[in-house]
C-alpha cells in the first residue's frame, strides 16, 4: 500500500509543488546597522545553541555580547528540527541538560511573551524485543535517579495512551510523562528576545570569515562587514563549525560531519490528533512519530545514511534538500507497520535537511585546547532541541566562572585529538553513528569504522594470536585473546546484558596473572616528559601536582593534577628520571586534556620543556608472580624486592635492547613490572619475553582482565571513577597528598577545608551477595545505589571478580545531611539496582587483599571480614 501512497504523493508534488511548513521568519530589517567595534563575547550562529548561550550569559551578568548569523536567526538545522524534547539519554550529563531544557522551555513563554509552542505530551519508547526492554529498564532506573517520572508499561497501556499504535509485536515500552514538543525556531527567537532585553546585539546576514588570534588568545573576529575586537568567541555554527574552526591562523579542530536527515509531514487526520498526544519512538523500527498540527511528523535514523558536504561546500542557509523517496522507503514502511491507519493519509511534504553528527554520538562543547577563550557548542547529533537549553547553560557557566559546574568531560572537545579531524574518517564514522542512535547498545560495544588508526608495533603479532580489539582515543587495545578452536565469529557477535561469551576466556587470563605471568600491551597510555636545565621542573610540578615529587631519582609517585576545587583533572604516575627530568604516565584519553592543562598552568617565561612521547614508547605490562623470573633471566640482574623495590624505575637491558625503562608497578595491584620500550625494540623485547616466559606459563592478556583485577583491588581509574569533581579525600587517597609538608599546590586550600568540614561523598566498593552470575543481568556501570532504601549514588565501574566468585561494583555514596564516615558506611544496608531489580550488596572501604590468600570456599567466605 505504501508504494501507491508514494506515487500519489509524488503526483501531488508535481501538481501543487512544495508548501512551506516551517515556522515563519520575521522579515529582515532593510536598515543595516554597523557592527560595534568591540564586544566582550562574539557568538557565531543564530540557531538554538547560539541563542541559548547568549541567553544564559545574560542571566549570569555578561551583557556585552554580539550574536552574528550569516543568514537569518534559526535558519539552519534549528529551522527544520522536529521539536521533540526528550530526557531519555544514555549518559548522565545529557540527561541533566535535557531535563533543564524541558523546564526552561516550559516557562520561557511566560518570561518573554514569545509563543514557543511548548506542549507537554509525554513520550513512549517501544520495545519489540526482550533485549530492548532490558535496555529501557536500565534507562528507567537512571532517569529515576534524576527525579524524572518514568515507568515501564505494557503494550495494552501503550494502546490506551496512543490508540493509533499497532501493538501486536511489542513486549513492552517506556513512558516518560513529562517529555514535550516545541517549535524550536520560536524557542530560539524567545531566547534571543530575552537576551536582547539585557543588552545582546544581533546582526543577521553577517558572515564570520575567521577568528583573530594574538599570543594564543582570541582577540577578535573578521567578518564580511569588518572586524570586531573581542575577548571570547563561541562557535555555534552547527554544520559549518568544522570549516570555521579550521579557518583561523591557529586552527581549532571540531570533529563533526553533516548527514541528510529525513522526516515527513502529513495533512491532519480525519479525527485530528490532540496536542497532548504522546510522541512515539520505535527504535527497533528506527522511527519517531509526533503530532503535527493534527497530523503526523515522522522521521528516523536509517541504516544507510547519506553524508553530505564532505568537500566542505554547503549552503549559506539550509534549504530543503532533494527529496529521496527510495531512500526514505524503509522508514515509511516501518511507519505504516506501526500506524496502519495512515495508509490513506495525504502526505504534505518530505523534509530533507543536514544534521551534524560527531564521532562518538555526543556533542562537542568547551574551550579549545589550542586557542584560549575559543569555545565551541556544536554537533548535536539530532538532539539540539532536547539539549539546547541545558548545553547553553553549562557552556555559559564555563565561560563566566572559568570552569564547568558539572562533569562535562563526556562532551568536552578535549576528548578528541587532531586524529579525529580527517574528513575521510568523519565521513565514514558518521555513517556508523547515525544508525547507532537507535541501535541497541549493549555494554562494551565498539565502533567499527575509523579503526586501526593508532596501533602498537605489536598489533599484527597480537592479532595473529587471537587478539580481539577495542578502541580508545583512536588507539587499538586488546580486550582478550581467543584461544585456538573457538568460534571467533560467534564470539564477536555475542551481545548481551547477561553473562558474556568471553567470561571463561577472561577468567583464564586473570588466573594466569595471579598464578604465572601475563603480558598486556598498554602502549596507548599517554606519556609526557617534563624537564628543565635547572630546578624549574621540580618547582613547577610541585605546584601542579598534589603529591610530593621531591623524591630520589628512580622513584615512582602516584599523584593527581588537581583543580582549584581539589578535583582530579588528571590521575597519573610520575617517575623522576634524573634530578631535572620527569616521566609522566596518564590515561589514554587524557592526551589532549592533560597537555592543554600543563601548557596553560606552566610559567610562560620558564625554561621548562614539555614533550609528548606517547609515540616513542611501547609499554608492556608483565603481570604475575613469575614476572620476576622472566625479567631476571632476560636482564641478568636481580629483580627481587630487595634489589628492585615497589614503585621503582630502572633503565635496563632486556635481551639485546638497551634503554628499557622497567617499573615495578602493574596498575592492577598484582606483582610484576611495566616495561617502557623504545618502539624500535618493541618486537624484539616482546619476542624475548614470550620465548623465555614459556617455561613459566606466560600468555597474552587483555584489558578486560586488567579491569577485573583493578576493580577487585579497589583501584579507581580517571574517566571512569574519578573526575574533576572528585577529590583525593573522597576516594581514600589522602595519603597521596602533601597537605602537611608545607608545599603549596593547586587545590590545597579546598582540600584543607574539606578535611576540616568532612566529606559528603565517598568512593566505595560493593560486593553483590545474592546475584547469580549465570542467570541474572550483570551490572556494568551507572546502576543506582540504595542505602536503607534511599537512593545515595550510582556505580562507576563493575566487573566480575574471579577471585571472589562474585561481582564487584565501585561507586560513590552521597550524603546531603551529614559527613560520610566509615561508621556511616558500615551502618547502611545496600542494594544495587540492575534494570529495576535490586540486589543486596556489602559495602567496603578497602580491598579484599587479606581475603585473597585464604582460599575459602565461596559459600564460607565472610565478606564482612
Amino acid at each position: 500500500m505504501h508504494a501507491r501512497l508514494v506515487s500519489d504523493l509524488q503526483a501531488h508534488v508535481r501538481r501543487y509543488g512544495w508548501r512551506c511548513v516551517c515556522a515563519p521568519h520575521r522579515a529582515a530589517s532593510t536598515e543595516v546597522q554597523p557592527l560595534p567595534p568591540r564586544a566582550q563575547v562574539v557568538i557565531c550562529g543564530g540557531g538554538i545553541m547560539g541563542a541559548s548561550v547568549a541567553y544564559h550569559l545574560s542571566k549570569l551578568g555578561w551583557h556585552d555580547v554580539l550574536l552574528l548569523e550569516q543568514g537569518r536567526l534559526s535558519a539552519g538545522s534549528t529551522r527544520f528540527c522536529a521539536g521533540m524534547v526528550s530526557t531519555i539519554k544514555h549518559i548522565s550529563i545529557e540527561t541533566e541538560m535535557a531535563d533543564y531544557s524541558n523546564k526552561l522551555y516550559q516557562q520561557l513563554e511566560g518570561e518573554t511573551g514569545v509563543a514557543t509552542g511548548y506542549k507537554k505530551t509525554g513520550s513512549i519508547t517501544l520495545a519489540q524485543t526482550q533485549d530492548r526492554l532490558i535496555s529501557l529498564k536500565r534507562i528507567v532506573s537512571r532517569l529515576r535517579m534524576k527525579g524524572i517520572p518514568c515507568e515501564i508499561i505494557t503494550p495494552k497501556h501503550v494502546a490506551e495512551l496512543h490508540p493509533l499504535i499497532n501493538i501486536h509485536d511489542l513486549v513492552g515500552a517506556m513512558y516518560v510523562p513529562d517529555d514535550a514538543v516545541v517549535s524550536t525556531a520560536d524557542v530560539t527567537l524567545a531566547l534571543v528576545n530575552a537576551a536582547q532585553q539585557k543588552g545582546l546585539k544581533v546582526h543577521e546576514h553577517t558572515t564570520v570569515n575567521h577568528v583573530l588570534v594574538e599570543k594564543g588568545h582570541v582577540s577578535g573576529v573578521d567578518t564580511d562587514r569588518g572586524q570586531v575586537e573581542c575577548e571570547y568567541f563561541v562557535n555555534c555554527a552547527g554544520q559549518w563549525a568544522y570549516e570555521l574552526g579550521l579557518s583561523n591562523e591557529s586552527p581549532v579542530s571540531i570533529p563533526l560531519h553533516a548527514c541528510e536527515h529525513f522526516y515527513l509531514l502529513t495533512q491532519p487526520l480525519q479525527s485530528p490528533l490532540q496536542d497532548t498526544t504522546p510522541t512515539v519512538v520505535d527504535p527497533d523500527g528506527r522511527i519517531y512519530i509526533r503530532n503535527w498540527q493534527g497530523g503526523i511528523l515522522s522521521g528516523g535514523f536509517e541504516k544507510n545514511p547519506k553524508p553530505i558536504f564532505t568537500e566542505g561546500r554547503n549552503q549559506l542557509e539550509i534549504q530543503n534538500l532533494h527529496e529521496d523517496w527510495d531512500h526514505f522507503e524503509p522508514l515509511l514502511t516501518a511507519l505504516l507497520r506501526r500506524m496502519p491507519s495512515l495508509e490513506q493519509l495525504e502526505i504534505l511534504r518530505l523534509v530533507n535537511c543536514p544534521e551534524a553528527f560527531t564521532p562518538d554520538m555526543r556533542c562537542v562543547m568547551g574551550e579549545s585546547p589550542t586557542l584560549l577563550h575559543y569555545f565551541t557548542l556544536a554537533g548535536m547529533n539530532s538532539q539540539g532541541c532536547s539539549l539546547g537549553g541545558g548545553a547553553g547553560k553549562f557552556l555559559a557557566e564555563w565561560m563566566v566562572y572559568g570552569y564547568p559546574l558539572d562533569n562535562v568531560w563526556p562532551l568536552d572537545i578535549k576528548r578528541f585529538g587532531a586524529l579525529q579531524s580527517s574528513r575521510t574518517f568523519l565521513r565514514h564514522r558518521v555513517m556508523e553513528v547515525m544508525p547507532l542512535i537507535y541501535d541497541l547498545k549493549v555494554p562494551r560495544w565498539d565502533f567499527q569504522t575509523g579503526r586501526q588508526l593508532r596501533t602498537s608495533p605489536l598489533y599484527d603479532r597480537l592479532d595473529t594470536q587471537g587478539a580481539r580489539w577495542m578502541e580508545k582515543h583512536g588507539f587499538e587495545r586488546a580486550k582478550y585473546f581467543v584461544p585456538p578452536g573457538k568460534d571467533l565469529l560467534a564470539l564477536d557477535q555475542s551481545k548481551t546484558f547477561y553473562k558474556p561469551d568471553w567470561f571463561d576466556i577472561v577468567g583464564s587470563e586473570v588466573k594466569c596473572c595471579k598464578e604465572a605471568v601475563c603480558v598486556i600491551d598498554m602502549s596507548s597510555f599517554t606519556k609526557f616528559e617534563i624537564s628543565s636545565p635547572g630546578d624549574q621542573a621540580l618547582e613547577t610540578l610541585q605546584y601542579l601536582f598534589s603529591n610530593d615529587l621531591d623524591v630520589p631519582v628512580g622513584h615512582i609517585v602516584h599523584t593527581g593534577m588537581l583543580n582549584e576545587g581539589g578535583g582530579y583533572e588528571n590521575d597519573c604516575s610520575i617517575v623522576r628520571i634524573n634530578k631535572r627530568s620527569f616521566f609522566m604516565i596518564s590515561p589514554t584519553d587524557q592526551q589532549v586534556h592533560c597537555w592543554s592543562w600543563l601548557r596553560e598552568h606552566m610559567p610562560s617565561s620558564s625554561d621548562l620543556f614539555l614533550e609528548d612521547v606517547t609515540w616513542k614508547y611501547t609499554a608492556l605490562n608483565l603481570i604475575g608472580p613469575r614476572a620476576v623470573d622472566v625479567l631476571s633471566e632476560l636482564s641478568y640482574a636481580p629483580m627481587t624486592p630487595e634489589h628492585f623495590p615497589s614503585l621503582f624505575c630502572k633503565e635496563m637491558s632486556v635481551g639485546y635492547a638497551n634503554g628499557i625503562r622497567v617499573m615495578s608497578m602493574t596498575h592492577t595491584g598484582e606483582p610484576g613490572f611495566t616495561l617502557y620500550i623504545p618502539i624500535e625494540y618493541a618486537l624484539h623485547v616482546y619476542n624475548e619475553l614470550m620465548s623465555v616466559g614459556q617455561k613459566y606459563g606466560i600468555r597474552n592478556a587483555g584489558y578486560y582482565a586488567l579491569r577485573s583485577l583493578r576493580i577487585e583491588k579497589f583501584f579507581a581509574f580517571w574517566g571512569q571513577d574519578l573526575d574533576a569533581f572528585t577529590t583525593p579525600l573522597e576516594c581514600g587517597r589522602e595519603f597521596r597528598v602533601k597537605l602537611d609538608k608545607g608545599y603549596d599546590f593547586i587545590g590545597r586550600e579546598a582540600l584543607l577545608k574539606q578535611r576540616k568540614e568532612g566529606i559528603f561523598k565517598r568512593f566505595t566498593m560493593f560486593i553483590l551477595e545474592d546475584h547469580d552470575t549465570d542467570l541474572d543481568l550483570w551490572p556494568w556501570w551507572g546502576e543506582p545505589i540504595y542505602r536503607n532504601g534511599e537512593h545515595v549514588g550510582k556505580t562507576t565501574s563493575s566487573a566480575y571478580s574471579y577471585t571472589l566468585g562474585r561481582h564487584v561494583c565501585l561507586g560513590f555514596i552521597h550524603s546531603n545531611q551529614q559527613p560520610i564516615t566509615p561508621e556511616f558506611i558500615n551502618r547502611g544496608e545496600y542494594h544495587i539496582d540492575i534494570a529495576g531489580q535490586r540486589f543486596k550488596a556489602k559495602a567496603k572501604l578497602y580491598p579484599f587483599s587479606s581475603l585473597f590468600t585464604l582460599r575459602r570456599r565461596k559459600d564460607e567466605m565472610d565478606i564482612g571480614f
Side-chain angles (χ1 to χ4, degrees), residues 12 16 19 264-270 272-273 292-297 342 344-349:
H12 173 87
Y16 298 107
R19 275 178 275 171
L264 61 79
L265 300 161
T266 77
Q267 295 283 10
L269 280 74
Q270 188 172 5
L273 292 175
W292 184 78
Q293 298 182 7
I296 291 294
L297 181 158
L342 299 186
Q344 301 304 318
L345 188 63
E346 181 184 1
I347 297 178
L348 177 63
R349 185 179 188 186

Side-chain angles (χ1 to χ4, degrees), residues 110-146:
E111 176 187 344
T112 64
V114 178
T116 60
Y118 181 91
K119 297 290 183 183
K120 184 178 291 187
T121 61
S123 70
I124 306 169
T125 304
L126 309 179
Q128 297 183 30
T129 66
Q130 288 297 331
D131 276 347
R132 178 70 68 179
L133 189 60
I134 290 169
S135 176
L136 296 183
K137 288 178 179 179
R138 290 175 62 86
I139 293 172
V140 164
S141 294
R142 296 178 184 181
L143 291 181
R144 286 175 175 169
M145 283 194 294
K146 301 293 184 183

Side-chain angles (χ1 to χ4, degrees), residues 664-680:
S664 51
M665 66 175 185
T666 64
H667 306 282
T668 64
E670 300 296 331
F673 304 89
T674 302
L675 285 64
Y676 284 86
I677 309 160
I679 57 171
E680 62 266 31

Side-chain angles (χ1 to χ4, degrees), residues 504-523:
D504 292 332
I505 294 175
V506 174
S508 64
E509 293 179 3
V510 168
K511 182 179 180 181
C512 188
C513 287
K514 289 182 172 293
E515 298 179 0
V517 58
C518 277
V519 177
I520 302 180
D521 186 345
M522 299 180 64
S523 303

Side-chain angles (χ1 to χ4, degrees), residues 713-726:
K713 288 295 179 69
F714 203 9
F715 281 15
F717 270 24
W718 196 94
Q720 299 176 42
D721 309 299
L722 309 180
D723 57 39
F725 294 86
T726 304

Side-chain angles (χ1 to χ4, degrees), residues 481-500:
F481 287 78
V482 180
K486 283 283 185 180
D487 186 343
L488 306 189
L489 186 62
L491 200 59
D492 272 350
Q493 291 183 342
S494 174
K495 297 180 179 180
T496 179
F497 293 99
Y498 291 90
K499 180 180 177 180

Side-chain angles (χ1 to χ4, degrees), residues 459 461-469 478-482:
Y459 177 85
R461 182 71 189 276
L462 299 179
D463 194 56
T464 60
Q465 297 182 72
R468 289 298 170 262
W469 302 96
K479 297 185 285 190
Y480 48 79
F481 287 78
V482 180

Side-chain angles (χ1 to χ4, degrees), residues 566-727:
Y568 280 100
E569 292 293 333
N570 181 29
D571 180 43
C572 60
S573 300
I574 295 182
V575 185
R576 190 166 193 179
I577 300 300
N578 57 52
K579 287 188 176 182
R580 298 180 177 86
S581 180
F582 297 83
F583 185 71
M584 176 179 171
I585 306 158
S586 298
T588 302
D589 53 3
Q590 275 275 303
Q591 189 169 13
V592 175
H593 174 66
C594 188
W595 176 271
S596 173
W597 180 273
L598 288 170
R599 289 296 298 268
E600 182 179 349
H601 289 82
M602 282 181 169
S604 57
S605 59
S606 72
D607 294 324
L608 283 172
F609 179 70
L610 171 65
E611 183 183 7
D612 186 342
V613 295
T614 300
W615 62 275
K616 286 187 176 182
Y617 292 94
T618 296
L620 295 181
N621 201 348
L622 198 63
I623 305 175
R626 306 311 299 267
V628 62
D629 301 309
V630 175
L631 269 187
S632 294
E633 192 167 330
L634 276 173
S635 64
Y636 294 98
M639 303 296 294
T640 60
E642 294 77 20
H643 298 90
F644 207 125
S646 178
L647 294 179
F648 195 71
C649 174
K650 287 183 181 179
E651 196 165 281
M652 303 173 60
S653 297
V654 178
Y656 296 152
N658 290 319
I660 311 300
R661 291 177 178 175
V662 180
M663 304 181 191
S664 51
M665 66 175 185
T666 64
H667 306 282
T668 64
E670 300 296 331
F673 304 89
T674 302
L675 285 64
Y676 284 86
I677 309 160
I679 57 171
E680 62 266 31
Y681 300 145
L683 189 58
H684 167 75
V685 171
Y686 173 78
N687 289 338
E688 291 293 296
L689 290 173
M690 298 304 287
S691 177
V692 171
Q694 283 186 3
K695 69 182 76 170
Y696 303 109
I698 198 168
R699 65 175 291 173
N700 294 299
Y703 272 79
Y704 283 11
L706 179 78
R707 182 184 181 91
S708 176
L709 291 168
R710 73 96 176 167
I711 287 178
E712 72 178 18
K713 288 295 179 69
F714 203 9
F715 281 15
F717 270 24
W718 196 94
Q720 299 176 42
D721 309 299
L722 309 180
D723 57 39
F725 294 86
T726 304
T727 73

